[in-house]
Amino acid sequence: MGQTSLGQSTRPRSVTDGVRIYRPGGTHVVGDGFHVRNLFPSNDLDRELSPFLMLDYAGPTFYPATDEPRGVGEHPHRGFETVTIIYQGIVAHRDSAGNAGNIGPGDVQWMTAASGIIHEERHEREWAKRGGTLQAIQLWVNLPKTSKMSAPGYQTLVSDQIPVVQLDGGAGALRVIAGSLRGLKGPAKTFTPIELYDLRVRVGHRIPLEVPGGFNVGLFVLSGLVSVEGSRPVTEAELAVFASTGQPVGITAKEDTTILVMAGEPIHEPVARYGPFVMNTKEELVQAVNDYQAGKMGHLH
Ligand code: MN
């Protein structure tokens, strides 16, 4: 793949333990509006991607026109953040903290559930009336113990707010959603150090991806074909995972490729999960269920 073992041994290493590549699971439906394939925590990927907890890839799925918008009705979350990135279609959200909004192609919704929130996620009504293709990612980002019971928050990051880095030599473009690259800062406020990029690499180009050392990195390929540090080709709906040493990682596009780059400083704390709740201990999960059932996470109005 263009690199000999000799070549690798004489250069600083850019990844630890090599690059691992994962396929998505089978399609399941969340509510009646999101046909998703999960990449993790299935695939036995648990701590390797901390602080990221879950990635569901929705679509691309065509939904016929309807007067009753599909989606997922009200449900709770506590202890983490949900990040929704839209590539095609329009999704509407409203929550018990009084936040509501629509996000479309290029937009990102960064919802901090923290101490608890009730929300619903649906196809936007006018979009649903026309019908169309939905393509989106939902990523769950863990919160450190000290922030799990903070007040809920909500950030709508519209496409115009997200800075674009043009890559050298016409190699493509990178949108900085969170973190910073070459002095351009993404609009998302995060609790721990996180880089989140929408990366497009043009066929035939090789780019050096710079990620801080010690970060866990996931490269999710939405379309196209790439090799990562000489790995086997990574294709549609596959995820490449590695830990960064701080050296640039070579990404070679064999087709025009769209990648979601997620990188973060791991949170070295116990993780206890139960459905929509992610805490540090079982006792905290029991408390979350009790608080939800007692109505302490609020209500939708
Ligand atoms: Mn949700």
Side-chain angles (χ1 to χ4, degrees), residues 75 77 119 121:
H75 61 278
H77 293 290
H119 75 157
E121 300 156 280

Side-chain angles (χ1 to χ4, degrees), residues 72 75-77 82 111 119 121 138 140:
V72 52
H75 61 278
H77 293 290
T82 67
M111 189 190 81
H119 75 157
E121 300 156 280
Q138 189 165 85
W140 289 9

Side-chain angles (χ1 to χ4, degrees), residues 16 46-53 141-145 191-195 211-217 242-244 262-271:
T16 55
D46 188 12
R47 307 310 297 266
E48 293 88 342
L49 273 167
S50 172
F52 306 105
L53 294 164
V141 179
N142 205 0
L143 290 171
K145 184 178 178 61
F191 286 77
T192 58
I194 284 169
E195 306 286 326
V211 175
F215 278 28
N216 290 328
V217 185
F242 56 90
S244 172
M262 68 208 85
E265 185 178 278
I267 297 173
H268 297 292
E269 293 174 353
V271 174

Side-chain angles (χ1 to χ4, degrees), residues 61-236:
T61 306
F62 178 78
Y63 296 97
T66 176
D67 288 334
E68 296 295 324
R70 292 165 172 258
V72 52
E74 65 175 89
H75 61 278
H77 293 290
R78 173 182 279 181
F80 62 100
E81 303 182 286
T82 67
V83 178
T84 307
I85 303 141
I86 306 290
Y87 293 87
Q88 299 183 70
I90 304 178
V91 171
H93 156 98
R94 65 189 186 105
D95 68 40
S96 53
N99 295 304
N102 300 330
I103 48 171
D107 300 341
V108 176
Q109 178 207 80
W110 199 294
M111 189 190 81
T112 305
S115 64
I117 210 162
I118 311 278
H119 75 157
E120 67 168 17
E121 300 156 280
R122 293 197 176 280
H123 300 179
E124 192 272 329
R125 182 167 291 279
E126 295 306 315
W127 181 82
K129 277 185 185 169
R130 297 191 299 273
T133 297
L134 184 74
Q135 183 185 24
I137 287 174
Q138 189 165 85
L139 185 64
W140 289 9
V141 179
N142 205 0
L143 290 171
K145 184 178 178 61
T146 50
S147 301
K148 280 185 178 293
M149 293 301 282
S150 297
Y154 181 77
Q155 305 172 66
T156 299
L157 314 171
V158 298
S159 188
D160 288 352
Q161 294 170 266
I162 299 173
V164 183
V165 176
Q166 297 297 334
L167 302 176
D168 297 339
L174 184 154
R175 301 169 67 233
V176 184
I177 299 165
S180 63
L181 193 78
R182 301 200 194 156
L184 290 180
K185 197 169 161 11
K189 295 183 192 73
T190 68
F191 286 77
T192 58
I194 284 169
E195 306 286 326
L196 190 65
Y197 310 143
D198 173 10
L199 171 63
R200 317 290 168 116
V201 189
R202 296 183 62 192
V203 59
H205 288 269
R206 181 183 190 279
I207 65 150
L209 179 70
E210 294 160 42
V211 175
F215 278 28
N216 290 328
V217 185
L219 305 179
F220 180 71
V221 175
L222 288 105
S223 60
L225 193 66
V226 288
S227 169
V228 180
E229 282 294 306
S231 74
R232 77 144 165 94
V234 190
T235 188
E236 187 265 338

Side-chain angles (χ1 to χ4, degrees), residues 29 34 97 139 230 237:
V29 191
F34 301 96
L139 185 64

